[in-house]
Amino acid sequence: MLSQRTRYTIRALLHLADRSGAGPVQLSEIADAQNIPPKFLTVMLSQMIREGLVASRRGREGGYWLARPAQDITYGEVVRLTRGSLGLLPCASRLAYEPCKNCVTEDKCRLHRVMLMVRDETARILDRLTLADAIPADQLADDPALAESS
């Protein structure tokens, strides 16, 4: 599952993407519109500033905006920045790999191979979708990859 931090971050970034070109967005607006605790939002946006996804300006006319175009920020990038990995198991992570404790060897572990497939498919989807992409609700039913798994 995605952490609350990751979900809040994505919602905040989507809010900024929707307001792109309208000038700085106040923290209180994002917090109210996205139902995110302001203190938590401050921490998350600070991390996104350090990572180069968000820019900010202090003061009465200040606020936050995307530092890069929304079409250049993928969901996969945001998940990796906030969660550390797309892998569901430590042995299936590319960036935070660790062998699983109390497991058989990886060459014998079928779960490991399945989780590598899940990670790769998740990356394929999340790395092609950007904050600028509109995802209509009926898109899910029309996606052949999703229809096969139903």
Side-chain angles (χ1 to χ4, degrees):
M1 284 207 200
L2 291 180
S3 67
Q4 189 68 26
R5 170 191 277 288
T6 299
R7 292 185 304 222
Y8 281 163
T9 302
I10 290 171
R11 289 186 357 221
L13 293 175
L14 286 170
H15 189 87
L16 294 176
D18 291 344
R19 295 285 315 278
S20 182
V25 180
Q26 296 283 318
L27 182 115
S28 59
E29 176 189 325
I30 302 166
D32 291 344
Q34 298 302 321
N35 196 25
I36 301 172
K39 285 185 179 183
F40 199 60
L41 181 58
T42 301
V43 172
M44 293 174 345
L45 290 174
S46 293
Q47 179 191 2
M48 294 299 104
I49 290 169
R50 286 189 304 277
E51 298 293 346
L53 271 63
V54 172
S56 68
R57 182 172 58 221
R58 295 180 186 263
R60 205 167 65 93
E61 301 296 318
Y64 299 88
W65 62 92
L66 291 180
R68 296 182 359 218
Q71 64 266 19
D72 293 346
I73 302 172
T74 67
Y75 284 86
E77 178 180 11
V78 177
V79 171
R80 286 181 188 95
L81 288 173
T82 56
R83 191 172 183 271
S85 172
L86 297 178
L88 297 178
L89 293 176
C91 69
S93 173
R94 286 193 195 276
L95 303 176
Y97 171 84
E98 288 181 33
C100 293
K101 294 173 177 62
N102 304 320
C103 190
V104 297
T105 60
E106 286 178 10
D107 62 325
K108 294 180 182 175
C109 183
R110 291 187 293 185
L111 179 59
H112 170 73
R113 292 192 298 269
V114 168
M115 290 299 112
L116 290 175
M117 292 170 55
V118 169
R119 180 213 55 213
D120 289 347
E121 190 64 17
T122 301
R124 184 186 69 77
I125 293 167
L126 293 180
D127 289 340
R128 84 170 188 231
L129 294 173
T130 72
L131 299 181
D133 292 327
I135 313 294
D138 62 346
Q139 175 76 27
L140 299 176
D142 295 340
D143 188 327
L146 297 173
E148 290 172 11
S149 64
S150 306

